[in-house]
């Protein structure tokens, strides 16, 4: 199901792919959804709520119409960290076990440089929270350099075509993801689209009709290498921190929604969890320019319990976000007052 929501400020567009199989728990405090290439993470980032995309294939897809099986997961939304945690334990069928603290928390500096939100507005909150909770510093990593050294197949997708250079690893990973998504979606639904001829956006039909699909085996090779690379980096107790989205949500019916550049940029960060199959949680950090903003934590494939059990961090991060926002407002007010006094003195 696709839904255009006006829940966000400025009447911005949000697309939500809702899972129709929701007998596991009542709708209300939490809501399930299909996340192949961001169908849960982006709406939550734009609406200021929590979202969890589990590791690929760890939650049953029984009763769910597939979109792209290699990428599909059943994720869920929640406003409260404890609800997100309880729903996760229910869907993942987790027995009781002791909580493990993260040993290493990496901030992907190059990913935050891509963000249209000031990097300090996002990373400072995480740093302060880690210091408060664990008494240690975060580590910094250039993720694109790391990926380019670990995923040999990325050179095939650097410019959307095979045999390109590997200058932009995240863009290449995104291109591989889009190729895989398109190929598997066509395999699942193109026959039905051609026979039933439903009311589908003409741009989508045109894109699906284009030739030149990438070799499915090449896409799967990139997917396997991406999982191996992130598992090697994060191991059993590491967390990678990235922006969930690159900026504020676009305005309703904005031209950029049909822009190839915009779509490619939006999907670039989403490709990390989608292609590696890792689990990812999106955490709201308050607002910027009157729009919700968030960061994401990523743990290795299969590290879902570990990532869910870091829920104490979610609350602290939101608290630190409020403190930083208030201090920023106070600083701005002080600067305005000083400027006003200076103007009076000159007059």
């Amino acid at each position: 199901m696709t839904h255009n929501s006006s829940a966000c400020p400025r009447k911005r567009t949000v697309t939500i792919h809702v899972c129709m199989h929701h007998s596991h728990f009542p709708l209300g405090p939490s809501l399930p959804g299909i996340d192949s290439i961001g169908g849960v993470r982006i709406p939550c980032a734009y609406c200021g709520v929590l979202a969890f995309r589990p590791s690929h294939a760890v939650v049953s897809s029984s009763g769910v119409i597939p979109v792209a099986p290699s990428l599909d997961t059943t994720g869920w939304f929640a406003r409260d960290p404890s609800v997100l945690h309880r729903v996760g334990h229910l869907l993942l069928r987790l027995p009781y076990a002791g909580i493990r603290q993260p040993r290493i928390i990496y901030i992907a500096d190059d990913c935050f440089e891509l963000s249209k939100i000031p990097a300090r507005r996002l990373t400072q909150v995480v740093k302060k929270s880690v210091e408060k909770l664990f008494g240690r510093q975060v580590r910094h990593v250039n993720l694109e350099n790391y990926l380019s050294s670990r995923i040999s197949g990325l050179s095939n997708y650097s410019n959307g075509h095979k045999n390109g250079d590997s200058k932009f690893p995240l863009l290449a990973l995104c291109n591989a993801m889009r190729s895989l998504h398109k190929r598997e979606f066509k395999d699942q639904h193109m026959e039905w689209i051609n026979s039933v001829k439903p009311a589908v956006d003409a741009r989508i039909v045109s894109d699906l009709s284009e030739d030149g699909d990438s070799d499915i085996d090449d896409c799967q090779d990139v997917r396997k290498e991406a999982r191996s690379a992130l598992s090697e980096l994060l191991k059993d107790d590491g967390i990678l921190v990235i922006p969930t989205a690159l900026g504020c949500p676009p305005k309703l019916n904005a031209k950029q929604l049909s822009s190839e550049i915009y779509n490619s940029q939006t999907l670039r960060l989403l490709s990390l969890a989608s292609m590696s199959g890792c689990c990812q949680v999106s955490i709201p950090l308050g607002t910027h320019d009157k729009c919700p903003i968030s960061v994401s934590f990523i743990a290795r494939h299969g590290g879902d319990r570990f990532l869910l059990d870091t829920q104490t961090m979610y609350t602290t991060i939101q608290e630190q976000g409020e403190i930083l926002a208030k201090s920023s407002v106070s600083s701005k007010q002080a600067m305005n007052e000083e400027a006003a006094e200076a103007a009076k003195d000159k007059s």
Side-chain angles (χ1 to χ4, degrees), residues 1-79:
M1 178 188 297
T2 300
H3 173 61
N4 286 333
S5 170
S6 58
C8 300
R10 298 187 181 181
K11 294 183 178 179
R12 293 174 180 263
T13 300
V14 176
T15 302
I16 302 175
H17 302 286
V18 178
C19 167
M20 301 305 293
H21 185 68
H22 50 70
S23 59
H24 295 291
F25 51 90
L27 300 180
S30 182
L31 180 71
I34 299 301
D35 189 312
S36 301
I37 55 174
V40 165
R41 290 165 287 171
I42 285 296
C44 285
Y46 287 169
C47 292
V49 296
L50 291 153
F52 195 91
R53 174 196 158 96
S55 297
H56 183 260
V58 301
V59 174
S60 172
S61 60
S62 176
V64 178
I65 297 174
V67 177
S70 292
L71 305 171
D72 292 350
T73 60
T74 302
W76 55 95
F77 312 78
R79 289 191 177 275

Side-chain angles (χ1 to χ4, degrees), residues 187-199:
D187 289 346
Q188 295 291 329
H189 303 292
M190 204 61 194
E191 181 179 348
W192 176 80
I193 290 174
N194 289 334
S195 62
V196 177
K197 301 188 185 306

Side-chain angles (χ1 to χ4, degrees), residues 209-230:
S209 301
E210 289 179 3
D211 295 326
D213 286 345
S214 296
D215 189 313
I216 195 72
D217 291 334
D218 289 346
C219 294
Q220 294 291 2
D221 286 344
V222 171
R223 184 168 162 264
K224 291 174 184 176
E225 286 185 292
R227 179 174 300 184
S228 176
L230 286 181

Side-chain angles (χ1 to χ4, degrees), residues 118-340:
R120 185 180 179 279
R121 174 70 180 84
L122 300 170
T123 59
Q124 193 68 15
V125 175
V126 177
K127 291 177 181 179
K128 292 289 186 183
S129 300
V130 171
E131 290 172 2
K132 180 179 179 179
L133 285 170
F134 308 120
R136 66 175 71 112
Q137 302 289 319
V138 299
R139 295 190 188 182
H140 295 266
V141 63
N142 185 300
L143 193 61
E144 293 212 292
N145 287 347
Y146 177 79
L147 293 178
S148 64
S149 67
R150 298 297 194 285
I151 309 178
S152 60
L154 288 180
S155 59
N156 293 336
Y157 298 95
S158 293
N159 300 312
H161 303 286
K162 300 192 71 171
N163 303 319
D165 61 51
S166 55
K167 186 177 180 181
F168 303 106
L170 274 177
L171 180 59
L173 188 65
C174 171
N175 289 333
M177 177 187 73
R178 296 176 77 180
S179 295
L180 181 60
H181 182 264
K182 175 181 174 181
R183 173 65 180 272
E184 292 194 341
F185 182 86
K186 288 175 69 173
D187 289 346
Q188 295 291 329
H189 303 292
M190 204 61 194
E191 181 179 348
W192 176 80
I193 290 174
N194 289 334
S195 62
V196 177
K197 301 188 185 306
V200 178
D201 190 298
R203 290 171 298 180
I204 296 176
V205 175
S206 175
D207 180 58
L208 291 173
S209 301
E210 289 179 3
D211 295 326
D213 286 345
S214 296
D215 189 313
I216 195 72
D217 291 334
D218 289 346
C219 294
Q220 294 291 2
D221 286 344
V222 171
R223 184 168 162 264
K224 291 174 184 176
E225 286 185 292
R227 179 174 300 184
S228 176
L230 286 181
S231 293
E232 183 181 346
L233 175 68
L234 301 175
K235 299 182 171 58
D236 289 335
D237 49 11
I239 287 176
L240 178 67
V241 185
I242 64 170
T244 305
L246 290 181
C248 293
K251 293 182 179 179
L252 188 65
N253 298 322
K255 290 183 179 180
Q256 68 191 104
L257 290 170
S258 59
S259 163
E260 172 59 27
I261 294 176
Y262 170 78
N263 287 321
S264 180
Q265 289 178 338
T266 301
L267 294 171
R268 195 178 302 189
L269 295 177
L270 299 170
S271 67
L272 282 167
S274 289
M275 283 298 280
S276 67
C278 290
C279 47
Q280 176 175 340
V281 62
S282 177
I283 307 167
L285 286 185
T287 61
H288 175 77
D289 194 22
K290 299 182 179 180
C291 292
I293 56 174
S294 71
V295 294
S296 276
F297 288 177
I298 295 176
R300 68 165 179 82
H301 179 270
D304 301 75
R305 171 198 286 280
F306 166 66
L307 192 58
L308 278 171
D309 285 348
T310 60
Q311 63 166 323
T312 54
M313 287 190 67
Y314 311 164
T315 301
T316 303
I317 281 175
Q318 289 171 324
E319 290 172 354
Q320 292 297 319
E322 291 176 4
I323 292 171
L324 182 62
K326 288 177 181 177
S327 65
S328 298
V329 170
S330 299
S331 299
K332 188 174 181 180
Q333 287 175 341
M335 291 174 63
N336 289 339
E337 289 172 3
E338 288 176 5

